[in-house]
Amino acid sequence: MKFTPALAAAVLLSATACSTIGDGGEDTKTNDQGKITDVVLASHVSFALPKELVEKFETDTGYHLVIRPNGDAGELTSKLVLTKDDPIGDVAFGVDNTFAGRATS
């Protein structure tokens, strides 16, 4: 899959629409009202976003983006399936069509 700024923007916009699920871990940031301000993106290890895009997302939304790499697409999919009751992220990117059936069943 070719990385494009439009793809990155779509991933980040979908992250803002997600509610925070899971416990967020010990390093989860909250604002003055106690609202979680981290958005955790579980991805495959080769996923990368330009620093400028991450900064723009954080400035525009008020959320802090935490990218957590989780191996290749197969490993990421396995982790997502095995942790469905306590998710490893708020949003995931990197499940390809080879593993999509396993992730959705």
Side-chain angles (χ1 to χ4, degrees), residues 24-25 27-28 38 40-44 66-70 76 88-89:
D27 58 346
T28 301
D38 282 350
V40 179
L41 171 62
S43 69
H44 53 77
V66 178
I67 300 173
R68 292 197 179 140
N70 289 278
L76 171 63
I88 58 174

Side-chain angles (χ1 to χ4, degrees), residues 2-3 6 11-12 17 19 26 42 44 47 51 54 57 63 65 67 76 80 82 84-85 89-91 95-96 105:
K2 183 178 177 185
F3 175 77
V11 169
L12 293 177
S19 64
E26 296 175 10
H44 53 77
F47 180 76
K51 186 177 180 177
V54 172
F57 168 78
Y63 287 97
L65 181 63
I67 300 173
L76 171 63
L80 292 170
L82 292 171
K84 68 181 181 181
D85 294 328
D90 299 306
V91 65
V95 177
D96 62 18
S105 60

Side-chain angles (χ1 to χ4, degrees), residues 51-61:
K51 186 177 180 177
E52 298 81 21
L53 186 59
V54 172
E55 290 172 354
K56 178 158 178 40
F57 168 78
E58 291 178 346
T59 301
D60 290 352
T61 65

Side-chain angles (χ1 to χ4, degrees), residues 20-30 34-41 64 66 68 86-90:
T20 53
I21 51 180
D23 66 7
E26 296 175 10
D27 58 346
T28 301
K29 295 180 182 174
T30 57
K35 180 180 174 188
I36 295 175
T37 59
D38 282 350
V39 173
V40 179
L41 171 62
H64 171 71
V66 178
R68 292 197 179 140
D86 188 18
I88 58 174
D90 299 306

